[in-house]
């Protein structure tokens, strides 16, 4: 399985965990909610769905709305198929959510993981955020070293492009620092109070007062050091 296929399967399972959907709804949610999937087709989605069904993580059901029921006899087309997450699929998705290996820090995978942070435990969120920050700090160090070596050989426009790439990475590092501090503050706020009142479990998927960030800063196309 390619890395991108794995990311798509992860996102599909996550969206279907929220509610069953047919293919059109699912593609729309992937396009609008997850920027990493803004440019993909049904030719990509449906093979993924078939793979997940064959693995036992999804089941196919006929559409149960009046519109779907009338679609077949009136138009000669099949009623829309609804995809539903199975118990095994939910367990598999929860296992994927708990993983914090190097893939979780990569550009596309991190964006997909971040989109489902509301379903992720706080300790896992922290490990993913810190891992992503560490990865970007390494990338930034390489970019600075490369720029220092080649500065004298670059024309003004190429030099400006390199600086722009560095600024993009620096901006995401600052954003990650803010998120990590917010997570830590939320964890501290949920420790048992002095009055003995119950607090939220620190391993729950709640955001802990996390601010709503804008779009996740993406990698700059001029960054040729990304892995």
């Amino acid at each position: 399985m390619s890395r991108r296929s794995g990311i798509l399967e992860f996102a599909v399972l996550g969206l279907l965990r929220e509610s069953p959907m047919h293919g059109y709804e699912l593609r729309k949610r992937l396009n609008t909610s997850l920027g990493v999937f803004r440019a993909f087709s049904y030719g990509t989605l449906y093979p993924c769905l078939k793979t997940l069904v064959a693995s036992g993580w999804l089941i196919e059901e006929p559409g149960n709305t009046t519109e779907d029921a009338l679609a077949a006899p009136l138009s000669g087309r099949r009623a829309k198929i609804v995809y539903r997450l199975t118990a095994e699929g939910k367990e598999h998705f929860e296992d994927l959510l708990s993983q914090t290996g190097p893939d979780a820090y990569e550009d596309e995978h991190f964006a997909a993981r971040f989109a489902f942070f509301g379903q992720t435990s706080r300790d896992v969120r922290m490990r993913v955020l810190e891992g992503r920050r560490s990865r970007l700090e390494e990338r930034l160090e390489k970019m600075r070293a490369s720029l220092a070596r080649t500065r004298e050989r670059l024309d003004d426009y190429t030099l400006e492009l390199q600086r722009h790439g560095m600024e993009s990475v620096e901006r995401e590092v600052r954003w990650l620092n803010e998120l990590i501090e917010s997570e830590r503050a939320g964890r501290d706020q949920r420790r048992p109070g002095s009055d003995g009142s119950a607090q939220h479990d620190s391993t729950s998927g709640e955001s802990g007062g996390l601010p709503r960030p804008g779009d996740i800063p993406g990698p700059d196309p001029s960054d040729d050091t990304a892995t």
Side-chain angles (χ1 to χ4, degrees):
M1 181 193 305
S2 70
R3 176 178 294 174
R4 188 168 178 82
S5 295
I7 298 170
L8 179 57
E9 291 186 6
F10 171 82
V12 167
L13 292 172
L15 289 175
L16 292 177
R17 188 188 187 193
E18 299 172 4
S19 65
M21 301 180 203
H22 54 68
Y24 175 78
E25 291 175 316
L26 194 53
R27 183 173 183 266
K28 186 176 180 181
R29 287 290 305 279
L30 287 165
N31 281 332
T32 58
S33 302
L34 301 174
V36 66
F37 298 111
R38 283 176 185 152
F40 85 110
S41 65
Y42 287 111
T44 302
L45 176 60
Y46 282 107
C48 172
L49 290 170
K50 290 184 180 297
T51 297
L52 295 175
V53 170
S55 299
W57 297 328
L58 301 182
I59 57 173
E60 298 177 330
E61 299 175 338
N64 56 8
T65 65
T66 303
E67 180 182 350
D68 287 340
L70 293 174
L74 292 179
S75 65
R77 295 178 299 179
R78 293 193 312 167
K80 293 176 181 177
I81 294 175
V82 172
Y83 295 90
R84 182 185 299 274
L85 197 65
T86 64
E88 292 80 6
K90 181 179 179 181
E91 182 178 348
H92 178 62
F93 179 68
E94 290 174 349
D95 178 62
L96 294 176
L97 276 181
S98 69
Q99 295 178 12
T100 59
D103 280 352
Y105 316 147
E106 299 299 336
D107 298 331
E108 290 186 343
H109 206 153
F110 173 74
R113 287 297 302 268
F114 191 86
F116 294 100
F117 262 22
Q119 303 180 41
T120 306
S121 65
R122 183 171 291 109
D123 61 327
V124 171
R125 291 198 304 259
M126 284 289 291
R127 287 198 294 272
V128 172
L129 289 172
E130 290 173 341
R132 174 66 175 174
R133 180 176 62 181
S134 177
R135 176 63 52 84
L136 290 183
E137 287 173 341
E138 292 174 2
R139 184 182 302 176
L140 192 57
E141 184 177 347
K142 291 178 181 178
M143 293 173 72
R144 288 170 175 160
S146 176
L147 183 60
R149 289 194 307 269
T150 61
R151 181 188 299 272
E152 299 302 324
R153 301 195 301 271
L154 300 178
D155 60 56
D156 290 343
Y157 296 101
T158 304
L159 182 60
E160 190 61 30
L161 189 62
Q162 293 292 325
R163 287 173 175 165
H164 176 65
M166 289 176 55
E167 289 172 0
S168 297
V169 178
E170 289 169 344
R171 184 167 59 251
E172 185 172 351
V173 170
R174 290 194 298 270
W175 175 71
L176 289 166
N177 285 335
E178 292 173 0
L179 291 175
I180 290 169
E181 289 306 311
S182 294
E183 288 286 351
R184 288 174 176 162
R187 178 185 60 196
D188 293 343
Q189 290 169 4
R190 279 163 175 74
R191 290 174 179 170
S194 58
D195 59 355
S197 59
Q199 302 292 326
H200 291 294
D201 186 346
S202 64
T203 61
S204 71
E206 296 189 16
S207 63
L210 213 59
R212 292 179 62 86
D215 290 339
I216 299 175
D220 189 87
S222 64
D223 174 16
D224 59 0
T225 63
T227 55

